Amino acid sequence: MYVYNQFQWLLIFYVYCFCGWVFESAVVSAQQRHFVSRGFLRGPWLPIYGFGATMILHVSLPLMGQPVAIYFAGMASATAFEYVVGVVMEALFKVKYWDYSTHKFQFQGRICLDSSIAWGFLALLLTYVLHKPVADFITGLPFYATAAVSLLLSGFFLYDTVTSAKAAFEFASVLEDLEKLRTEADELRVQLRLGAYEAQDRIEDLRGQLKTVQADLRERSETAQAELRERVEAAQAELREQLKERLAGLEDDITERMNRKNKHYRALMRANPSLRAPRFQETLRIWREKH
């Protein structure tokens, strides 16, 4: 039976955060064919693995000697944790940092059977293979060394979490603003297209009115027709110019918002290639194409 103090649990958490980052970065880098530093945070750690591992250990260590129970307990607890984290992060940041929508037997893109099966095997691997050397190393450290290292890492971790969360909130806000601007720009483009048809319709209506004028004022009909046509065309031209100016302004705003702090946002998207934003998917697609 393993018994750890709070500083040892912290070190165990950070060790598995780092191991998870190494594993996912290696897998995704191989898939993308270039190095990808995976994760929501900027440092070399994935908290979901740290929390998942410590949670699995709390469940599995009392079940030592019962591998079937460990497998299903680890699978169930880690899957539930992954789902809850996915829901919370999407509610907070308006995006999905992982998406299993293309997998078979998935639920809401947040969990899938493949991942759950892997969590079960990870629970066995963690309990019977990986954890013993980690535990031996950590429990072999002097108390003060354990406390100092765990507190130092906690300081870095807290700073990383706060700054990354701030960037993620800003990213969600930018996406929301860009979606509004993109929608308004699309509406202006529609108005510009319809403006030509409306101008033609108005000219045709005025021609009908001119026929009545011609009956009484035939000698002035050509002059009146020309004057009315010029007024309509001038009004339509002015409206088109106003719409074009507004559209150009919106496109400048979109470009400016995309470029502002874009370094951080690009890093966030590179670290999460499967990142999705159901509410802003078209805006996110345009952003990726431009950057």
Side-chain angles (χ1 to χ4, degrees):
M1 190 68 180
Y2 295 94
V3 178
Y4 308 114
N5 61 45
Q6 57 185 353
F7 296 118
Q8 289 171 336
W9 272 117
L10 275 175
L11 282 185
I12 289 170
F13 168 76
Y14 292 127
V15 166
Y16 291 120
C17 282
F18 176 73
C19 291
W21 175 82
V22 170
F23 170 73
E24 287 233 355
S25 295
V27 171
V28 177
S29 295
Q31 293 172 344
Q32 299 292 318
R33 297 184 178 180
H34 61 83
F35 176 71
V36 176
S37 177
R38 278 286 288 135
F40 171 75
L41 303 180
R42 299 175 188 175
W45 37 34
L46 283 176
I48 192 169
Y49 280 87
F51 284 115
T54 53
M55 181 177 60
I56 287 174
L57 288 172
H58 277 90
V59 171
S60 65
L61 291 180
L63 299 173
M64 284 293 289
Q66 304 177 57
V68 175
I70 289 174
Y71 177 88
F72 286 105
M75 180 176 68
S77 58
T79 299
F81 177 70
E82 185 177 31
Y83 179 79
V84 171
V85 172
V87 170
V88 172
M89 290 189 71
E90 185 176 351
L92 288 175
F93 304 123
K94 309 297 187 298
V95 298
K96 289 183 176 181
Y97 282 91
W98 63 87
D99 187 7
Y100 298 126
S101 298
T102 59
H103 292 234
K104 291 183 179 179
F105 309 109
Q106 56 85 25
F107 181 67
Q108 296 179 353
R110 299 187 177 100
I111 56 175
C112 69
L113 182 60
D114 293 346
S115 177
S116 296
I117 291 172
W119 281 118
F121 283 112
L122 179 61
L124 291 174
L125 182 67
L126 181 67
T127 306
Y128 289 110
V129 179
L130 298 179
H131 186 61
K132 189 179 186 309
V134 171
D136 289 343
F137 172 75
I138 291 175
T139 55
L141 294 173
F143 174 79
Y144 293 109
T146 304
V149 173
S150 62
L151 290 175
L152 181 64
L153 288 174
S154 295
F156 284 118
F157 181 80
L158 181 62
Y159 174 79
D160 196 351
T161 300
V162 171
T163 54
S164 297
K166 181 180 177 182
F169 278 120
E170 290 177 349
F171 183 56
S173 176
V174 168
L175 283 178
E176 191 168 9
D177 291 343
L178 287 175
E179 183 69 14
K180 292 177 182 177
L181 291 174
R182 191 184 65 80
T183 300
E184 188 174 351
D186 288 343
E187 291 174 353
L188 286 175
R189 291 187 185 96
V190 171
Q191 291 181 39
L192 281 170
R193 285 196 296 268
L194 293 177
Y197 297 111
E198 292 174 354
Q200 186 62 36
D201 290 342
R202 291 185 63 181
I203 290 173
E204 293 298 328
D205 291 340
L206 288 171
R207 283 175 178 169
Q209 296 175 21
L210 283 172
K211 289 181 180 179
T212 303
V213 173
Q214 288 173 349
D216 299 324
L217 303 169
R218 186 173 299 276
E219 68 281 1
R220 297 178 55 190
S221 64
E222 292 184 1
T223 302
Q225 183 175 353
E227 290 177 354
L228 285 173
R229 183 183 296 107
E230 289 176 1
R231 285 162 52 193
V232 171
E233 291 176 350
Q236 290 298 320
E238 182 179 358
L239 177 59
R240 283 195 298 273
E241 287 303 316
Q242 291 175 353
L243 290 174
K244 287 179 180 178
E245 289 177 5
R246 177 59 180 154
L247 180 58
L250 285 175
E251 290 176 342
D252 288 342
D253 287 344
I254 290 173
T255 301
E256 181 184 355
R257 292 303 299 272
M258 283 186 172
N259 290 333
R260 191 182 304 165
K261 293 186 178 180
N262 190 47
K263 178 181 178 181
H264 300 309
Y265 304 146
R266 284 204 308 268
L268 193 63
M269 287 190 286
R270 280 199 305 268
N272 300 275
S274 63
L275 184 147
R276 298 289 182 271
R279 290 175 54 192
F280 318 116
Q281 198 58 36
E282 182 62 16
T283 297
L284 193 60
R285 182 190 65 78
I286 295 172
W287 193 326
R288 279 183 166 134
E289 287 180 354
K290 289 188 176 183
H291 300 93

